[in-house]
Amino acid sequence: MEQAEVDFREFKVLCIWEDGEVGCPWVGLAVDRASSKVVGRSVARSENEEAVVDLIADMTAREGIPDRLVQDNGAAFNSLRLMGGQVPLVRRKDKGPRNPSWGLPGVYETLGIEVTNHGPRMAWAKLPESLNSAFRHLDNDPVFHRAQRTGPNDAPNPNPVPVPIALFRAALDGAIAALNANTESRAKGLRKGECRNSAFARMYNGL
């Protein structure tokens, strides 16, 4: 892959995690810029460093290591563990002397990934933002009936019934698979009648 882009969004489905805790999951998506294919995902309790590591691990296991990664300037993406050896956009030069520990290589440098940070108010520039919008229907999937957390524009749901996190993961994986296999998409880079899976194979595998 030449360039992958990553981002997180919270879904408003109340889930029961394996340890019994109840909360809404945060989903991380990794998307190939050229084909618009979703090439990795992670599901976590919040947008945090460990969730980003899981997302990068899932992406590289599925489709390999990208040459470049585009991410936002949030703390989860710009931690020492991930950005060691590089200077995150969020770390301004006027913050004083650099901590020597930042000279040690992090996950990205170890994998040989070039990182580009989008600054504040530039969310529109990231491909995963549009795909997160495409997955908004998942919040109201019938399989999650009565499990929705009430939002400001939603009908009241005073007694939500959480669903197992495994059910949410399965529904998410199904939605991703359907998106990648859809041959009627007008996403940039796709030929007429071509799905994201086929476009990715054509561009990177010569198929």
Side-chain angles (χ1 to χ4, degrees):
M1 279 184 291
E2 294 180 2
Q3 178 171 305
E5 304 185 14
V6 292
D7 196 41
F8 277 79
R9 180 175 87 83
E10 184 185 27
F11 282 71
K12 62 178 183 179
V13 178
L14 284 170
C15 297
I16 304 174
W17 297 84
E18 288 83 356
D19 62 1
E21 182 178 344
V22 174
C24 292
W26 282 77
V27 172
L29 293 181
V31 185
D32 170 55
R33 165 55 73 173
S35 65
S36 299
K37 178 182 178 177
V38 177
V39 293
R41 67 88 166 143
S42 69
V43 180
R45 304 180 201 215
S46 65
E47 182 181 349
N48 56 56
E49 176 189 274
E50 197 61 39
V52 176
V53 170
D54 288 345
L55 176 58
I56 302 304
D58 186 70
M59 172 184 65
T60 55
R62 291 173 187 267
E63 304 295 353
I65 301 172
D67 297 330
R68 183 184 308 106
L69 190 73
V70 177
Q71 60 183 29
D72 63 29
N73 68 335
F77 289 106
N78 290 281
S79 68
L80 174 61
R81 180 181 179 188
L82 289 158
M83 289 290 288
Q86 304 187 52
V87 180
L89 180 66
V90 73
R91 297 186 70 253
R92 301 192 310 270
K93 293 181 180 180
D94 60 0
K95 288 190 174 181
R98 190 182 188 196
N99 187 322
S101 62
W102 277 89
L104 300 176
V107 171
Y108 296 146
E109 186 166 292
T110 300
L111 292 175
I113 300 175
E114 175 190 342
V115 178
T116 298
N117 286 90
H118 277 313
R121 299 178 298 279
M122 291 184 66
W124 56 268
K126 290 181 299 178
L127 182 57
E129 288 285 335
S130 62
L131 292 187
N132 270 327
S133 295
F135 286 135
R136 288 189 185 279
H137 70 279
L138 194 61
D139 286 322
N140 297 309
D141 191 294
V143 74
F144 303 135
H145 178 60
R146 294 188 63 197
Q148 290 80 12
R149 182 193 66 195
T150 302
N153 299 316
D154 299 325
N157 184 20
N159 298 301
V161 181
V163 297
I165 189 62
L167 179 63
F168 178 84
R169 290 194 180 104
L172 174 65
D173 288 343
I176 291 174
L179 179 83
N180 284 340
N182 180 16
T183 58
E184 298 181 359
S185 173
R186 296 183 179 180
K188 185 177 179 180
L190 301 187
R191 295 173 178 173
K192 185 177 181 180
E194 185 178 51
C195 68
R196 289 171 167 84
N197 288 326
S198 297
F200 186 90
R202 168 175 57 83
M203 294 173 181
Y204 297 115
N205 301 324
L207 301 179

